[in-house]
């Protein structure tokens, strides 16, 4: 019998081989999984549904194969009538055999030094670091390696930012002496490009797992006890025994409690997850939430030509920034055509007879309504702890009950269990999660390391970009620190002028008493690149040297 993917893939034409469960010469039963492939964003077990001996296997893990490719050849066992009947039934109704394996999955037990639940930038970095330090590591991931950052956050969002930026440049090409006619956006190709970037990086992480001998289990992990994790996969279940465990399950979009939001049964009320898979651009989009996620998507869709409105509860969008930075980005948003309603509380959502969405909100006591084709919920994210089973172990949560409580060593109240990344509800940034993972592993190794959040750089991919590090002017004043503020406008920079974008400024916060830079904000072209220099400066250089080096680095990077 020749085994192909034809009956497993549906409309997809190809898939990637994730795992091979059998080898040449092995016997196979009717319910056994031969290989597992990944297609259409799902793991698919390939169950030939026959009994016999495997004569040949023509694929390797990591191969991309088409639906007509021959995977293997099985010499079938027709030694009794029952086997023939099972073969016939499996060919006629694959779904029956598939669901039978779901109901009766095979269970396998593994032992390791460190088990990590979650394969995002915290989990996979911790896994690699632990493996490189000689530890036997098992990484458990229910979805795709790379977590939110790679699959539903940082990377795909920035891919859309870049496409939107290119389209904006094309539309304004005449300002640079280049003439183009009737440019347009094909959002399907934009999403295809985004997916290609994501898939390429995802394959890279898989390669790193194999190279560092990290065992990756695909499935949902939950605690049985403080040293045991039960993993439920598509076709198998695992019992993982670990001396130490790191929780790195990340976060998910927060869905606000708004009247009527659950009564509208359509695809037009979305979160950032769905926004990254959008198939058609709406004419009008209403974004509820003017934080980082909301503002980034506002500029993305506005650059694609969508009529965007933002409703923000606080008095300003990006309310944690300094007033002059908020004023600069708000002015640019308004010039872009983005309508901003701050100090506003959304109270209801409903749909008209022609499927148009209406958002009702209060702004300074006045009742207002907005019409739109899509609503993007962007009011933040919350730690993902679903089905983890931490309550059975008595793992403590933070005072606000939103995330897992950890000490500076990333250790929970149970000494051999650690938590890192968004699930701790500290700073929800990918590079923070990665560093937390290294700190957790170092403490497991007995190196006694602590997490330091003093100078964490962050970036916001609006237009123009915003980047910060250390403390800002508002925070310094609230702490009673005597400061000096220095600002360098991009309008005085030749490279910015040649780029046709002289908006924004570089702002430094100096502690008057020790003459040190304690914080900085950049709003302007390439801000997210420039912030690295100031981050180093805050740690090592006096203010006089900092100003000189900062100016020189700025000129060099913008040349």
């Amino acid at each position: 019998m020749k085994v192909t993917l034809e009956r497993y893939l549906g409309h997809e034409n190809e898939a990637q081989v994730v795992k091979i469960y059998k080898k040449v010469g092995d016997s196979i039963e009717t319910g056994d999984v031969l290989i597992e492939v990944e297609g259409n964003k799902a793991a698919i077990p390939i169950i030939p549904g026959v009994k016999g001996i495997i004569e040949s296997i023509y694929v390797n893990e990591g191969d991309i194969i088409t639906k007509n490719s021959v995977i293997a050849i099985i010499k079938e066992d027709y030694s009794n009538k029952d086997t023939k009947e099972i073969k016939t039934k499996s060919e006629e109704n694959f779904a029956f055999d598939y669901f039978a394996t779901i109901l009766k999955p095979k269970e396998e037990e593994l032992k390791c030094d460190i088990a990590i639940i979650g394969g995002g930038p915290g989990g996979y970095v911790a896994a690699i670091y632990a493996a490189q330090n000689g530890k036997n590591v098992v990484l458990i991931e229910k979805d795709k390696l790379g977590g939110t950052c790679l699959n539903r956050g940082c990377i795909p969002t920035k891919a859309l930012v870049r496409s939107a930026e290119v389209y904006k440049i094309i539309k304004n090409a005449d300002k640079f002496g280049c003439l183009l006619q009737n440019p347009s956006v094909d959002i399907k190709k934009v999403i295809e490009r985004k997916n290609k970037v994501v898939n390429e990086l995802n394959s890279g992480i898989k390669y790193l797992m194999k190279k560092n001998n990290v065992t990756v289990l695909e499935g949902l992990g939950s605690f049985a006890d403080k040293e045991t994790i039960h993993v439920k996969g598509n076709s198998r279940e695992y019992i993982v025994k670990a001396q130490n465990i790191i929780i790195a399950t990340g976060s998910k979009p927060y869905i606000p409690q708004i009247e009527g939001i659950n009564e509208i049964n359509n695809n037009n009320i979305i979160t950032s997850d769905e926004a990254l898979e959008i198939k058609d651009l709406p004419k009008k989009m209403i974004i509820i939430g003017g934080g980082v996620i909301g503002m980034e998507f506002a500029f993305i869709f506005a650059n694609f030509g969508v009529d965007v409105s933002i409703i923000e509860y606080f008095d300003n969008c990006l309310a944690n920034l300094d007033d002059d930075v908020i004023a600069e980005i708000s002015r640019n948003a308004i010039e872009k055509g983005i309508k901003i309603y701050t100090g506003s509380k959304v109270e209801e959502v409903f749909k008209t007879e022609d499927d148009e969405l209406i958002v009702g909100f209060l702004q300074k006591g006045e009742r207002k309504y907005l019409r739109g084709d899509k609503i993007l919920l962007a009011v933040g994210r919350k730690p993902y702890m679903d089905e983890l089973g931490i309550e059975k172990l008595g793992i403590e949560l933070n005072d606000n009950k939103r995330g897992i409580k950890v000490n500076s060593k990333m250790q929970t109240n149970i000494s051999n269990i650690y938590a890192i990344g968004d699930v701790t509800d500290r700073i929800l940034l990918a590079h923070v999660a990665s560093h937390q993972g290294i700190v957790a592993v170092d403490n497991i190794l007995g190196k006694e390391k602590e997490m330091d959040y003093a100078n964490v750089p962050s970036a916001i991919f609006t237009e123009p970009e915003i980047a910060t590090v250390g403390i800002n002017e508002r925070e310094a004043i609230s702490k009673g620190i005597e400061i000096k503020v220095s600002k360098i406008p991009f309008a005085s920079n030749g490279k910015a002028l040649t780029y046709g974008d002289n908006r924004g400024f570089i702002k430094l916060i100096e502690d008057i008493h020790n003459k040190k830079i304690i914080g900085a904000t950049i709003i302007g072209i390439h801000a997210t690149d420039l912030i690295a220099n100031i981050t180093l400066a805050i740690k090592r250089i006096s203010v006089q040297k900092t100003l000189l080096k900062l100016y020189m680095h700025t000129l060099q990077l913008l040349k």
Side-chain angles (χ1 to χ4, degrees):
M1 173 187 176
K2 291 182 179 179
V3 183
T4 69
L5 296 182
E6 189 170 1
R7 64 181 181 183
Y8 301 88
L9 288 189
H11 297 297
E12 292 289 310
N13 291 317
E14 63 180 26
Q16 184 174 33
V17 179
V18 176
K19 189 167 184 177
I20 299 174
Y21 291 96
K22 298 288 184 179
K23 61 181 184 294
V24 174
D26 283 357
S27 60
I28 188 167
E29 300 294 329
T30 55
D32 285 355
V33 180
L34 175 60
I35 69 169
E36 190 172 284
V37 301
E38 187 177 272
N40 196 25
K41 298 185 179 180
I44 305 169
I46 305 305
I47 307 169
V50 299
K51 181 179 179 180
I53 302 295
I54 298 172
E55 289 191 333
S56 304
I57 295 178
Y58 298 107
V59 297
N60 297 304
E61 291 182 2
D63 286 356
I64 304 294
I65 54 177
T66 65
K67 64 163 59 177
N68 295 319
S69 300
V70 178
I71 299 167
I73 294 178
I74 299 174
K75 182 179 181 180
E76 297 178 67
D77 181 358
Y78 294 109
S79 59
N80 59 65
K81 183 179 179 181
D82 292 338
T83 303
K84 292 180 182 179
E85 290 177 356
I86 291 171
K87 172 182 176 292
T88 303
K89 288 178 181 177
S90 67
E91 288 179 342
E92 291 175 352
N93 189 357
F94 164 72
F96 175 80
D97 285 327
Y98 171 73
F99 286 111
T101 63
I102 294 295
L103 294 173
K104 296 180 180 179
K106 294 198 170 184
E107 190 172 275
E108 183 180 344
E109 182 171 310
L110 294 86
K111 293 183 179 180
C112 63
D113 300 316
I114 302 174
I116 302 171
I117 308 176
Y124 77 75
V125 168
I128 292 169
Y129 184 64
Q132 289 175 344
N133 278 275
K135 293 298 182 181
N136 180 9
V137 183
V138 170
L139 179 66
I140 301 158
E141 172 54 53
K142 68 177 180 62
D143 188 10
K144 281 187 172 183
L145 290 174
T148 295
C149 177
L150 173 54
N151 299 293
R152 296 173 298 279
C154 323
I155 302 303
T157 303
K158 304 317 167 278
L160 264 59
V161 166
R162 179 55 180 162
S163 290
E165 180 184 55
V166 169
Y167 183 55
K168 178 206 166 190
I169 292 171
I170 291 172
K171 287 193 298 182
N172 293 279
D174 61 317
K175 295 179 181 179
F176 297 84
C178 303
L179 302 180
L180 295 167
Q181 292 183 346
N182 303 320
S184 61
V185 173
D186 185 335
I187 193 62
K188 292 183 177 63
K189 288 188 176 180
V190 170
I191 299 300
E192 284 176 8
R193 176 183 178 273
K194 180 267 297 182
N195 290 338
K196 184 178 179 181
V197 172
V198 170
N199 291 336
E200 185 175 338
L201 291 172
N202 185 268
S203 297
I205 296 174
K206 289 179 180 177
Y207 169 77
L208 289 173
M209 295 299 102
K210 292 176 183 177
K211 182 179 179 181
N212 288 281
N213 296 315
V214 175
T215 300
V216 178
L217 303 182
E218 295 183 357
L220 181 67
S222 60
F223 283 99
D225 57 52
K226 68 177 184 178
E227 294 181 345
T228 308
I229 302 169
H230 176 246
V231 182
K232 186 176 182 180
N234 285 333
S235 58
R236 289 177 181 258
E237 292 188 5
Y238 304 89
I239 298 296
V240 180
K241 298 282 189 179
Q243 295 177 21
N244 292 278
I245 297 171
I246 299 175
I247 302 170
T249 48
S251 62
K252 62 181 179 179
Y254 176 73
I255 308 298
Q257 297 301 307
I258 300 173
E259 183 178 342
I261 202 170
N262 296 321
E263 298 172 10
I264 301 175
N265 185 23
N266 60 30
N267 296 319
N268 291 327
I269 298 180
I270 61 175
T271 67
S272 57
D273 287 358
E274 293 78 34
L276 292 167
E277 302 296 337
I278 198 165
K279 292 180 173 59
D280 298 291
L281 288 174
K283 291 182 180 179
K284 293 183 178 181
M285 173 175 281
I286 302 169
I287 300 177
I288 300 177
V292 173
I293 297 172
M295 289 295 280
E296 286 188 347
F297 275 108
F299 278 97
I300 289 170
F301 285 111
N303 274 331
F304 282 145
V306 177
D307 183 341
V308 177
S309 298
I310 299 173
I311 304 174
E312 168 57 40
Y313 178 78
F314 292 109
D315 291 335
N316 290 298
C317 291
L318 300 172
N320 291 329
L321 299 176
D322 283 335
D323 291 341
D324 51 354
V325 181
I326 293 171
E328 180 74 20
I329 196 62
S330 297
R331 180 168 56 252
N332 283 289
I334 293 168
E335 288 176 359
K336 180 69 62 179
I338 299 169
K339 304 170 191 68
I340 300 176
Y341 300 86
T342 55
S344 301
K345 181 181 179 182
V346 176
E347 293 196 327
E348 63 176 333
V349 175
F350 57 92
K351 186 170 64 173
T352 65
E353 292 297 325
D354 57 356
D355 287 338
E356 194 173 34
L357 296 171
I358 309 292
V359 177
F361 62 98
L362 282 178
Q363 186 181 44
K364 297 179 181 178
E366 183 182 354
R367 186 76 173 182
K368 295 185 178 182
Y369 296 91
L370 282 177
R371 293 173 175 265
D373 305 303
K374 279 193 185 292
I375 297 173
L376 172 60
L377 303 175
V379 294
R381 301 181 66 85
K382 66 177 184 178
Y384 187 91
M385 297 180 285
D386 301 6
E387 302 178 82
L388 192 55
I390 59 174
E391 63 281 349
K392 292 188 295 185
L393 304 184
I395 293 177
E396 293 180 4
L397 301 181
N398 296 326
D399 293 340
N400 59 12
K401 305 301 179 185
R402 279 179 53 89
I404 295 175
K405 184 178 181 179
V406 293
N407 59 21
S408 59
K409 298 178 180 180
M410 308 313 301
Q411 194 173 34
T412 70
N413 59 305
I414 298 177
S415 61
N416 71 311
I417 299 178
Y418 297 74
I420 61 174
D422 290 4
V423 76
T424 66
D425 200 38
R426 295 293 299 270
I427 300 177
L428 277 63
L429 295 173
H431 51 284
V432 172
S434 297
H435 192 65
Q436 287 174 333
I438 291 172
V439 169
V441 172
D442 273 338
N443 283 292
I444 290 171
L445 296 171
K447 295 183 180 180
E448 296 292 321
K449 294 291 180 65
E450 293 189 352
M451 189 65 192
D452 179 11
Y453 300 98
N455 295 303
V456 176
S458 65
I460 306 172
F461 286 79
T462 47
E463 185 199 320
E465 296 175 351
I466 303 171
T468 66
V469 66
I471 66 175
N472 59 24
E473 181 179 2
R474 178 186 300 170
E475 186 179 356
I477 292 172
S478 69
K479 292 182 175 180
I481 302 173
E482 292 188 66
I483 58 172
K484 176 184 176 182
V485 178
S486 302
K487 292 173 75 170
I488 305 170
F490 275 91
S492 65
N493 186 275
K495 182 65 180 291
L497 293 174
T498 64
Y499 263 70
D501 191 351
N502 64 350
R503 298 170 295 176
F505 50 83
I506 300 172
K507 180 179 181 178
L508 303 177
I509 310 299
E510 173 194 347
D511 186 324
I512 291 176
H513 294 290
N514 61 20
K515 303 296 182 181
K516 296 287 186 180
I517 297 295
I518 58 174
T521 300
I522 307 175
I523 177 168
I525 186 170
H526 300 314
T528 58
D529 302 316
L530 291 168
I531 198 66
N533 294 284
I534 305 179
T535 302
L536 291 175
I538 288 176
K539 288 181 174 292
R540 299 178 182 177
I541 308 172
S542 69
V543 66
Q544 291 86 358
K545 291 181 179 178
T546 296
L547 288 171
L548 177 61
K549 286 181 177 289
L550 171 64
Y551 186 68
M552 295 304 296
H553 278 305
T554 302
L555 291 178
Q556 289 170 6
L557 285 170
L558 293 177
K559 281 182 180 178

